[in-house]
Amino acid sequence: PPEAPLAMPAQDFRATPPPGPAPQPPAREVVWARLITFGGTALIVLVGFWQMMLVFGDRPQLLQWLLLPFFTLTFGWVGFSFCSMLAGLVARAPQTPADPGTARVAVVMPVYHEDPADSLGLLAALADELDQAGMARRAEIFVLSDSRDPDYFAAETLAVAALRETCPLPVWYRRRTDNTGRKAGNIAEFVRRWGGRYDQMVVLDADSVVSGDAIRQMSARMAADPALALIQTIPMLVGGQTLFSRVIQFAGRVYGPPIARGVAAWSGDDGNFWGHNAMIRVAAFAACCGLPELPGKPPFGGTILSHDFVEAALLRRAGWKVRLDWDLRASYEGSPPTLLDMAVRERRWAQGNLQHLRLIGARGFSWVSRLHFTIGVLGFLMSPIWLSMILVGLALTAKVILSRPEYFPQTYQLFPDWPTFDSVRMTWLFAAAMALLLVPKFVAVGRAWRRPLAENVGGRSRILASALFEIVMSALIAPVQMLIQTRQIAEILQGRNSGWESQVRKGSMPPWGLVLRRHGIHVASGLAILLVVAFLAPGQLIWLSPILAGLILSPAISRWSASPVFGRWARMAGLLVTPEERQPPEVLSAALAQTRRLRLDEDAATLLGRDPAALSRHVALLAPLPERPAARRLPAIAAEAKIAAASSQAEALSFLDRAERAALLSDPRLLERWAALPR
C-alpha cells in the first residue's frame, strides 16, 4: 500500500525512556499473587537450605558446601514453578468491552524459507473469520518475507497472488533483500515504512494463527485502555504428528493454561512478550522498541536474538501496560517435530537469553521485567546447575566410599569427629522436590477431570494414562536435554554464534547413523556413570535410574519419538489426544482446505515459464530494483549471459547457480528474456 512512515528510533539502554502513560500501582489481586509466588518461593528456598544443612551435620565437608548452592537453586527453581501456578488462584479474567472500537489493524506474518501454502493457508482462514467478525473494512494482511532462496520466494509470490483472488481483506507482500535484524528487523522495517497506516498490529509466526474473534476481543480491549500497548495470548500447540511433538503438545494443552494463568497473575501489567500471537499498539511500539545492534561480536554482541523479552521491557519502562490475557484460548501454533529439531531452536533461544545479561541492568526497567530476563536466563542455566549437582553428588559418594574417615584430626582431641549424613532427611527432601515438580501436573489433570476438557481428550482414564505417559517420556528426555543445553551454554561462552536457519515444521524419523552421532556422548556418559556407580555404590542406582535410562536409550528415544507412525498409533490408542484434535477449531479446519488450494502442483520457476499469467502476477509483487554498482550486480550479469547462451528455459535454469537464480526471479527484465526462450 502507499507508505505511511512512522519514526522508530533505536533505543539507548542508558538513556531516559521516551514519555508514555503515567505508571499505575498494581491491582490488589496482583499484589496477592506476587506475595504467593515470591514469598512462597523464598520460604521454600530457606526451608531447603536449612534442611540440607541439617543433612550435612555440624561440620560440612568441602564437597558438601559445594553441593549446597546447586541443591538450593534447583530446589528453589521447582518451588518457584509450584508457587507461580498457585498464584493463578487469585487471577482475574480480563473483560472485553461491548464497543469494538475503530482501530485499523494489520495482521503481519514474517516468513523466512517457509512453505508458503501452509503459512498463507492460515492467513486465508483468518481473513474469512475477520470478515465474519465485522473487521474486514479495518483489517489488512501483510506477508513480510526475509526469504533468500529463490525457490521459496517465487512460491511465495504465487501463493500471495492466489490468496488475493478470494481474500475478503487486502493482502500485501513485501520481500526485503537486506535481512538486517532478522525477524525483529523485519517487523521494524514494516513499522518504519507503513506503521503510520495502522493503530494496532497482530504479529504471527509462520506456523501460528489466532481466531478472528480473538483479534476482535484484543482490539476492543486495547481500544478501551489507552495505556495498554501489548496483549499476549496463550498459544496452544496443534498439528503434532510425531510422538515427540504430541508429548509436548499434550503437556502444553493440559498443564499450560494453569501455569500461564499464574504467570499472568503475578505479572499484572508487567507482562512478557513471546514474539507472536500478540496484539501491539503500533505507535507505542515504534516509540519504544527500536532495537540497536549490541556492541561486539556475536554471540553476546550484534543482533538481539530474543528481542521479544526486550521489547516488552522497553514498553513497560515507558509506562505502557504489557499484559498476558490468559482467557483468550483461540490461539494456536505448531510444535517442533523432533528432539533434534528442538535442540536447534533451543540453541538460538539460549544465545538470546544469555544476551539479556548485558541488558538486565538497563536504565528504567521495572523489577518484574528484570525478573522475566532472569527467569529466561535460568531456564537454560539450570541444566549446567543440575548437571553440576549430580556430578558433585557422585564425587561426594565416591569420597565417602573410597576414603578412610579421620576420627581424630587433632593430636590431643578427646572425642572423635563422626562423619554425619542424615539419609532419612535427605530422602524426605528428595520427596519434597518431586512433589513440587509433579503436584502441579496432577493438579492440572485433576482440574481437567472436573471440566469438559477430560471428555474432549477421550475421557478421564485416557487423560490420566496420557499424563503418566508424558511424565515418563519427559523424565527420559530431561537428562538428554540437560546435556544438550549444557553443551550449548559452553559453546556460547566460547564465542560460537548460532546463525540463522529456517525452522523445521514437519519431522521425519532420523536415520540410526545421525542419532548415534548426535547422542553418542550421551550414551557414553550414561554407561560410564552406570559402571562407576555399580562398582562403588550399587544401591544408588535406583535413584539415578531415570537419568541413566534416558542417557543410555537416547538414540532410540530420539529416533522413535520422531516417528509419525508411532504418533498415529498413540492417537488411535487415545493417548496424548488434545481437544483441538477431536474437535478442530474452525480456523484450523479452514486453513487445511486453504492450504490445499494454495499449494503448487509443480516447481514455481517451471510454472512461471509456461504460464504468462503466473509470471505477470509474480512480477507485480516484485519490489523495484535499486541502482547498484556493477560489483553488486554480478549474479544478474552472469544470469543474463547464461540466458543468452541457453537454447531453452530448462537449459538456462540448469546453467544458473543459486545467486544467479535469485537474480533472475527478482528482475522483471531478465524474466522477460528467459520466458521468451522455448520451453
Coordinates of all heavy atoms in Angstrom, one line a residue, residues 83-114:
C83 N 4.8 -22.4 43.1 CA 4.1 -21.2 43.7 C 3.5 -20.3 42.6 O 2.5 -19.7 42.9 CB 5.2 -20.4 44.6 SG 5.7 -21.2 46.0
S84 N 4.2 -20.2 41.5 CA 3.6 -19.4 40.4 C 2.3 -20.0 40.0 O 1.3 -19.2 39.7 CB 4.6 -19.4 39.2 OG 4.1 -18.7 38.1
M85 N 2.2 -21.3 39.8 CA 0.9 -21.8 39.4 C -0.1 -21.6 40.5 O -1.3 -21.3 40.2 CB 1.0 -23.3 39.2 CG -0.2 -24.0 38.5 SD -0.3 -25.7 38.7 CE -0.7 -25.9 40.5
L86 N 0.3 -21.7 41.8 CA -0.6 -21.5 42.9 C -1.2 -20.0 42.9 O -2.4 -19.8 43.2 CB 0.1 -21.7 44.2 CG -0.8 -22.0 45.5 CD1 -1.6 -23.3 45.3 CD2 0.2 -22.1 46.7
A87 N -0.4 -19.1 42.4 CA -0.8 -17.7 42.4 C -2.0 -17.5 41.4 O -2.7 -16.5 41.5 CB 0.3 -16.8 42.0
G88 N -2.1 -18.4 40.4 CA -3.2 -18.3 39.5 C -4.6 -18.3 40.1 O -5.6 -17.9 39.5
L89 N -4.7 -18.8 41.3 CA -6.0 -18.9 42.0 C -6.6 -17.5 42.3 O -7.8 -17.4 42.4 CB -5.8 -19.6 43.4 CG -5.4 -21.1 43.3 CD1 -5.2 -21.7 44.7 CD2 -6.5 -21.9 42.5
V90 N -5.8 -16.5 42.3 CA -6.3 -15.1 42.6 C -6.4 -14.3 41.3 O -6.6 -13.1 41.4 CB -5.4 -14.4 43.6 CG1 -5.4 -15.2 44.9 CG2 -4.0 -14.2 43.1
A91 N -6.1 -14.9 40.1 CA -6.1 -14.2 38.9 C -7.6 -13.8 38.5 O -8.5 -14.5 38.8 CB -5.5 -15.0 37.8
R92 N -7.7 -12.6 38.0 CA -9.0 -12.1 37.5 C -9.0 -12.1 36.0 O -8.1 -11.5 35.4 CB -9.3 -10.7 38.1 CG -10.6 -10.1 37.6 CD -10.8 -8.7 38.1 NE -10.8 -8.6 39.6 CZ -10.8 -7.5 40.2 NH1 -10.9 -6.3 39.6 NH2 -10.8 -7.5 41.5
A93 N -10.0 -12.6 35.4 CA -10.1 -12.7 33.9 C -10.4 -11.3 33.3 O -11.3 -10.6 33.8 CB -11.1 -13.7 33.4
P94 N -9.6 -10.8 32.3 CA -9.9 -9.5 31.7 C -11.3 -9.6 31.0 O -11.8 -10.6 30.6 CB -8.8 -9.4 30.6 CG -7.7 -10.3 31.0 CD -8.4 -11.5 31.7
Q95 N -11.9 -8.4 30.9 CA -13.2 -8.3 30.3 C -13.1 -7.6 28.9 O -12.3 -6.7 28.8 CB -14.2 -7.5 31.2 CG -14.4 -8.2 32.6 CD -15.0 -9.6 32.5 OE1 -16.0 -9.8 31.7 NE2 -14.5 -10.5 33.2
T96 N -14.0 -8.1 28.0 CA -14.0 -7.4 26.7 C -15.1 -6.4 26.6 O -16.3 -6.8 26.8 CB -14.2 -8.5 25.6 OG1 -13.1 -9.4 25.6 CG2 -14.2 -7.8 24.2
P97 N -14.8 -5.2 26.3 CA -15.9 -4.2 26.3 C -16.8 -4.4 25.1 O -16.5 -5.0 24.1 CB -15.2 -2.8 26.1 CG -13.8 -3.2 25.6 CD -13.5 -4.6 26.1
A98 N -18.0 -3.9 25.2 CA -19.0 -4.1 24.1 C -18.6 -3.3 22.9 O -18.9 -3.7 21.8 CB -20.4 -3.7 24.6
D99 N -18.0 -2.1 23.1 CA -17.6 -1.3 21.9 C -16.4 -1.9 21.2 O -15.3 -2.0 21.9 CB -17.3 0.1 22.4 CG -17.0 1.1 21.2 OD1 -17.1 0.6 20.1 OD2 -16.7 2.2 21.5
P100 N -16.5 -2.3 20.0 CA -15.3 -2.9 19.4 C -14.2 -1.9 19.0 O -13.1 -2.3 18.6 CB -15.9 -3.6 18.1 CG -17.1 -2.8 17.8 CD -17.6 -2.3 19.1
G101 N -14.5 -0.6 18.9 CA -13.6 0.3 18.5 C -13.5 0.5 17.0 O -14.1 -0.3 16.3
T102 N -12.6 1.4 16.6 CA -12.5 1.6 15.2 C -11.0 1.5 14.7 O -10.7 2.0 13.7 CB -13.0 3.0 14.8 OG1 -12.3 4.0 15.6 CG2 -14.5 3.1 15.1
A103 N -10.2 0.9 15.5 CA -8.8 0.8 15.2 C -8.5 0.1 13.9 O -9.1 -0.9 13.6 CB -8.0 0.2 16.4
R104 N -7.5 0.6 13.1 CA -7.1 -0.1 11.9 C -6.0 -1.1 12.3 O -5.1 -0.8 13.1 CB -6.5 0.9 10.9 CG -7.5 1.8 10.3 CD -6.9 2.7 9.2 NE -6.3 2.0 8.2 CZ -6.9 1.5 7.1 NH1 -8.2 1.7 7.0 NH2 -6.2 0.8 6.2
V105 N -6.2 -2.4 11.9 CA -5.4 -3.5 12.3 C -4.6 -4.1 11.2 O -5.2 -4.3 10.1 CB -6.3 -4.6 13.0 CG1 -5.4 -5.7 13.5 CG2 -7.1 -4.0 14.2
A106 N -3.4 -4.3 11.4 CA -2.5 -5.0 10.4 C -2.2 -6.4 11.0 O -1.7 -6.5 12.2 CB -1.2 -4.3 10.1
V107 N -2.5 -7.4 10.3 CA -2.0 -8.8 10.7 C -0.7 -9.1 9.9 O -0.7 -9.2 8.7 CB -3.1 -9.8 10.3 CG1 -2.6 -11.2 10.7 CG2 -4.4 -9.5 11.0
V108 N 0.4 -9.1 10.6 CA 1.7 -9.3 10.0 C 2.2 -10.7 10.3 O 2.2 -11.1 11.4 CB 2.7 -8.2 10.4 CG1 2.1 -6.8 10.1 CG2 2.9 -8.2 11.9
M109 N 2.8 -11.3 9.2 CA 3.4 -12.6 9.3 C 4.8 -12.6 8.7 O 4.9 -12.6 7.5 CB 2.5 -13.7 8.7 CG 3.2 -15.1 8.7 SD 2.2 -16.4 7.9 CE 1.0 -16.7 9.2
P110 N 5.8 -12.5 9.5 CA 7.2 -12.6 8.9 C 7.4 -14.1 8.5 O 7.1 -15.0 9.3 CB 8.1 -12.2 10.1 CG 7.2 -11.6 11.1 CD 5.8 -12.2 10.9
V111 N 8.0 -14.3 7.4 CA 8.3 -15.6 6.9 C 9.8 -15.6 6.4 O 10.3 -14.7 5.9 CB 7.4 -16.1 5.7 CG1 6.0 -16.2 6.2 CG2 7.5 -15.1 4.5
Y112 N 10.4 -16.8 6.6 CA 11.8 -17.0 6.2 C 12.0 -18.4 5.8 O 12.0 -19.3 6.7 CB 12.8 -16.6 7.4 CG 14.2 -16.9 7.1 CD1 14.9 -16.2 6.1 CD2 14.9 -17.9 7.8 CE1 16.2 -16.4 5.8 CE2 16.3 -18.1 7.5 CZ 16.9 -17.4 6.5 OH 18.2 -17.6 6.3
H113 N 11.9 -18.7 4.5 CA 12.1 -20.0 4.0 C 11.1 -21.0 4.6 O 11.4 -22.1 5.1 CB 13.5 -20.5 4.2 CG 14.6 -19.8 3.5 ND1 15.9 -19.8 3.8 CD2 14.5 -18.9 2.5 CE1 16.6 -19.0 3.0 NE2 15.7 -18.4 2.2
E114 N 9.8 -20.6 4.5 CA 8.7 -21.4 5.0 C 7.9 -21.9 3.8 O 8.0 -21.4 2.7 CB 7.8 -20.6 5.9 CG 8.4 -20.0 7.1 CD 8.7 -21.0 8.2 OE1 8.2 -22.1 8.1 OE2 9.3 -20.6 9.2

